[in-house]
């Protein structure tokens, strides 16, 4: 989904919301029309785009100038919140789109945050630790007037980690002596006030979105609503789920492929590998250089051990030998078209598009990454009967645990990993329940549309209550 796709979907959702009499029901029809126009204007425009250049001296003495961004889309539902990514593909449009998605995600999950995002245009692996440290500090120096624990709170994203957040907090503390500094950033190391389980949170939540649907939600529907069952059974995607479930009943493992083997993808892979209640087989994983494939399943713990040391997945037969892994090596994009039933997308944007959508074999696609399926592919896959579980629904585990980390710095009590995980799962499941029910019982062909509708309803209601619509 590009920036244009996101805006278009918001506009379409507004057109449908205009026909929903339950929204802003306490005002006259004429006023309601005006208020909705005003809400649309507010939510389809960005509050602030800040672009700067970071100058760093490289280890060889040369000086380079790197573009850096912080985009604050909306703080209607709370302080601005969103990750900072280090990637050579970073550009203003991408960062702005990701900031929009953060606003929608936080509203959908009813977190007290708005939406923001940051980016630095570098490929981090081309820089030494000293250079990365310097870039991280300079990012904070440039953007610090617009950051802060009750204003805009960054977290890690692609190419950044707890180490980068620790460096950034350190610099924030120097710039703002005496101020609260720990909860100015989340996703920090545990030693530095980070929440236990934050690193795994997004991957765990992503897997849970799919696993809970296939297990608990389906069980609930089968047992509860015999009257309603015929209605849900007419839903095209119900058959998709039912087929998978029947496969599980026959004790045949469900084949899973995962694009991206970083923070999110490696945790999804481990969750799928460990899922014993329903037998899964991870037949393919990939990163920016390689796809690894084995029809009988890959040994994920060994691959995690290998990437902990080398970052990338094994790229050669020699690497496979070192990792103790049996697999065939394919080009990175091949992971998308493997003969898997479930495809987790956990890398970057726009990976499934017009060029490859017809070759996708998976019947369930789960967007652990932000915006990995473009608008045309989204529609094509859903018309075909595939189920696309959207980013703003599934990848909120990280921001939910970031909220716990932010709270933990205020109450000076460390949540245990069990508490963190249980709280995250509880909050996610509340939203999964709402969205899955609305999707399977409703008319909308797209689960993404259902999510946008719920998120925008909340934001419009908040704008109204805050007296911002006229
Ligand atoms: P990461 O940097 O830890 O890992 C990214 C992975 O994607 C790596 O394995 C990398 O090799 C791979 N990759 C990069 N470019 C690729 C390409 N062109 N083709 C195939 N693979 C490619 O990043 P992450 O934190 O795991 O984030 C992954 C996605 O999840 C991003 O879209 C991010 O915005 C989203 N996300 C992350 C979090 C979080 O808490 N980290 C939270 C919400 C959403």
């Amino acid at each position: 989904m590009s920036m244009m796709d996101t805006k278009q979907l918001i506009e379409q959702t507004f057109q449908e919301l205009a026909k929903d009499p339950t929204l802003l029901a306490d005002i006259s029809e004429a006023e309601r029309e005006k208020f909705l126009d005003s809400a649309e204007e507010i939510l389809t425009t960005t509050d602030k785009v800040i672009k700067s250049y970071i100058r760093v001296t490289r280890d060889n003495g040369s000086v380079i100038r790197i573009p850096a961004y912080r985009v604050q889309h909306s703080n209607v539902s709370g302080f601005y919140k969103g990750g900072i990514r280090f990637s050579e593909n970073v550009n203003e449009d991408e960062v702005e789109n990701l900031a929009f998605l953060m606003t929608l995600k936080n509203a959908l999950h009813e977190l007290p945050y708005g939406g923001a995002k940051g980016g630095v245009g570098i490929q981090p692996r081309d820089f030494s630790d000293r250079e990365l440290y310097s870039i991280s500090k300079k990012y904070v120096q440039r953007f610090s007037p617009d950051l802060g624990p009750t204003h805009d709170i960054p977290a890690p994203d692609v190419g950044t980690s707890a180490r980068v957040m620790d460096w950034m907090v350190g610099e924030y503390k120097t710039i703002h002596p005496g101020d609260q500094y720990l909860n100015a950033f989340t996703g920090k190391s545990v030693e530095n006030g980070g929440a236990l389980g934050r690193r795994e949170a997004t991957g765990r939540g992503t897997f849970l979105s799919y696993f809970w649907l296939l297990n608990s939600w389906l069980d609930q529907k089968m047992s509860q609503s015999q009257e309603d069952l015929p209605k849900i059974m007419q839903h095209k995607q119900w058959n998709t789920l039912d087929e998978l479930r029947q496969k599980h009943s026959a004790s045949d493992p469900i084949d899973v492929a995962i694009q991206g083997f970083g923070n999110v993808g490696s945790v999804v892979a481990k969750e799928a590998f460990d899922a014993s209640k329903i037998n899964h087989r991870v037949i393919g994983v990939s990163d920016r250089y390689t796809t690894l494939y084995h029809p009988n399943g890959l040994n994920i713990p060994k691959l995690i051990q290998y990437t902990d040391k080398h970052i990338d997945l094994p790229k050669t037969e020699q690497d496979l030998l070192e990792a103790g892994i049996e697999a065939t090596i394919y080009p990175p994009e091949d992971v998308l078209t493997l003969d898997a039933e479930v495809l987790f997308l956990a890398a970057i944007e726009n990976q499934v598009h017009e060029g490859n959508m017809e070759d996708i074999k998976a019947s369930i696609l789960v967007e652990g990454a932000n915006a990995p399926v473009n608008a045309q592919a989204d529609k094509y896959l859903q018309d075909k009967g595939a189920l696309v579980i959207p980013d703003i629904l599934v990848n909120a585990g990280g921001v939910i645990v970031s909220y716990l980390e932010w709270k933990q710095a205020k109450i000076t009590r460390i949540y245990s990993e069990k508490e963190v995980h249980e709280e995250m799962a509880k909050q996610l499941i509340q939203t999964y329940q709402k969205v899955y029910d609305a999707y399977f019982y409703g008319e909308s062909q797209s689960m993404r549309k259902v999510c946008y509708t719920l998120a925008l309803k909340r934001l419009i209601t908040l704008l109204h209550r805050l007296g911002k619509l006229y």
Side-chain angles (χ1 to χ4, degrees):
M1 300 281 281
S2 65
M3 180 68 205
M4 222 168 65
D5 293 337
T6 307
K7 274 195 179 174
Q8 248 172 27
L9 193 53
I10 293 179
E11 282 158 13
Q12 278 171 24
T13 312
F14 261 96
Q15 282 164 20
E16 284 164 28
L17 283 171
K19 296 177 213 139
D20 178 352
T22 64
L23 180 65
L24 307 183
D26 55 344
I27 53 176
S28 72
E29 190 51 37
E31 211 174 17
R32 194 172 165 273
E33 217 170 282
K34 260 187 354 181
F35 278 22
L36 281 177
D37 283 350
S38 138
E40 184 170 345
E41 185 61 33
I42 293 170
L43 294 170
T44 51
T45 47
T46 295
D47 286 354
K48 197 167 184 178
V49 177
I50 319 158
K51 178 176 182 181
S52 183
Y53 286 93
I54 292 175
R55 273 183 295 276
V56 277
T57 311
R58 300 222 51 176
D59 293 343
N60 63 12
S62 65
V63 176
I64 54 162
R65 205 167 161 256
I66 304 162
Y69 305 86
R70 187 73 188 164
V71 175
Q72 296 169 335
H73 169 245
S74 165
N75 62 356
V76 169
S77 52
F79 308 133
Y80 297 109
K81 180 103 188 79
I84 299 174
R85 94 174 19 181
F86 286 1
S87 155
E88 69 275 35
N89 300 322
V90 159
N91 60 63
E92 188 176 318
D93 233 35
E94 179 193 83
V95 182
E96 192 174 3
N97 187 32
L98 294 168
F100 262 75
L101 294 179
M102 278 309 289
T103 302
L104 294 166
K105 189 194 304 184
N106 288 331
L108 176 66
H109 292 271
E110 301 192 9
L111 288 165
Y113 289 134
K117 201 80 184 184
V120 178
I122 55 159
Q123 170 45 257
R125 68 183 61 213
D126 296 342
F127 289 77
S128 70
D129 282 357
R130 189 205 63 80
E131 291 166 340
L132 288 174
Y133 171 67
S134 171
I135 291 166
S136 305
K137 272 176 49 158
K138 290 200 171 170
Y139 186 92
V140 180
Q141 288 164 15
R142 289 279 187 275
F143 295 101
S144 106
D146 287 288
L147 302 177
T150 54
H151 182 57
D152 182 353
I153 309 148
D157 193 70
V158 173
T160 54
S161 60
R163 185 174 72 152
V164 171
M165 293 304 111
D166 285 353
W167 288 337
M168 289 188 169
V169 168
E171 188 59 14
Y172 186 87
K173 184 171 187 271
T174 307
I175 297 172
H176 302 274
D179 280 8
Q180 271 193 44
Y181 64 92
L182 271 184
N183 48 11
F185 290 79
T186 60
K188 305 178 294 291
S189 67
V190 172
E191 295 78 6
N192 192 27
L196 291 158
R198 168 64 180 83
R199 199 191 66 77
E200 296 81 13
T202 307
R204 278 181 161 191
T206 297
F207 189 74
L208 184 70
S209 69
Y210 147 79
F211 199 66
W212 188 81
L213 175 66
L214 196 64
N215 271 290
S216 313
W217 186 84
L218 216 50
D219 278 353
Q220 195 189 84
K221 297 303 142 198
M222 292 283 200
S223 64
Q224 265 178 14
S225 52
Q226 287 311 319
E227 296 148 37
D228 292 346
L229 209 53
K231 176 156 190 228
I232 329 181
M233 283 165 82
Q234 285 164 19
H235 203 289
K236 220 192 253 175
Q237 273 71 7
W238 172 270
N239 294 330
T240 306
L241 280 182
D242 204 31
E243 265 173 35
L244 263 196
R245 188 187 172 88
Q246 282 176 22
K247 182 158 192 195
H248 151 57
S249 307
S251 309
D252 191 2
I254 294 175
D255 286 338
V256 173
I258 299 151
Q259 186 193 38
F261 206 74
N263 188 346
V264 181
S266 65
V267 175
V268 169
K270 182 71 170 49
E271 293 283 302
F273 184 86
D274 288 343
S276 53
K277 197 166 167 199
I278 292 187
N279 199 2
H280 285 81
R281 190 164 55 182
V282 183
I283 60 161
V285 296
S286 76
D287 66 7
R288 65 175 61 234
Y289 302 115
T290 334
T291 292
L292 297 179
Y293 169 72
H294 198 295
N296 298 333
L298 294 159
N299 186 328
I300 300 302
K302 277 194 184 170
L303 280 176
I304 291 176
Q305 250 177 23
Y306 183 88
T307 51
D308 279 348
K309 191 161 153 209
H310 299 280
I311 302 173
D312 302 324
L313 289 166
K315 298 187 193 67
T316 63
E317 294 299 330
Q318 188 59 36
D319 293 347
L320 284 175
L321 218 60
E322 182 191 333
I325 293 283
E326 273 184 48
T328 310
I329 298 175
Y330 290 136
E333 60 281 7
D334 284 18
V335 75
L336 300 170
T337 52
L338 290 177
D339 208 352
E341 285 139 325
V342 186
L343 174 63
F344 286 92
L345 298 157
I348 51 168
E349 298 84 52
N350 293 319
Q351 295 302 293
V352 181
H353 45 69
E354 298 89 314
N356 59 13
M357 63 192 185
E358 290 176 21
D359 301 323
I360 303 286
K361 302 190 186 65
S363 55
I364 299 190
L365 289 88
V366 190
E367 294 187 329
N370 286 308
V373 178
N374 86 359
Q376 286 85 342
D378 199 27
K379 179 164 184 336
Y380 171 85
L381 290 164
Q382 282 170 110
D383 289 349
K384 209 178 93 173
L387 178 61
V388 182
I389 314 186
D391 46 11
I392 63 167
L393 179 66
V394 316
N395 70 22
V399 67
I400 291 173
V401 175
S402 276
Y403 176 55
L404 296 177
E405 178 177 341
W406 182 83
K407 267 195 349 197
Q408 168 175 283
K410 286 178 153 317
I411 59 175
T412 58
R413 179 173 89 75
I414 308 289
Y415 295 114
S416 71
E417 189 165 354
K418 185 164 174 280
E419 281 176 308
V420 167
H421 183 59
E422 283 175 1
E423 183 59 28
M424 177 191 85
K426 192 180 94 193
Q427 289 201 34
L428 284 173
I429 286 169
Q430 269 172 17
T431 314
Y432 296 159
Q433 178 87 57
K434 232 186 319 184
V435 171
Y436 296 155
D437 283 355
Y439 174 63
F440 283 99
Y441 286 107
E443 306 298 323
S444 180
Q445 283 305 303
S446 144
M447 198 182 279
R448 196 183 312 281
K449 189 64 146 321
V450 170
C451 293
Y452 276 48
T453 304
L454 291 169
L456 287 172
K457 267 179 136 172
R458 177 170 164 79
L459 291 165
I460 295 164
T461 307
L462 281 173
L463 280 167
H464 176 44
R465 296 272 171 251
L466 292 167
K468 304 274 182 199
L469 300 179
Y470 30 83

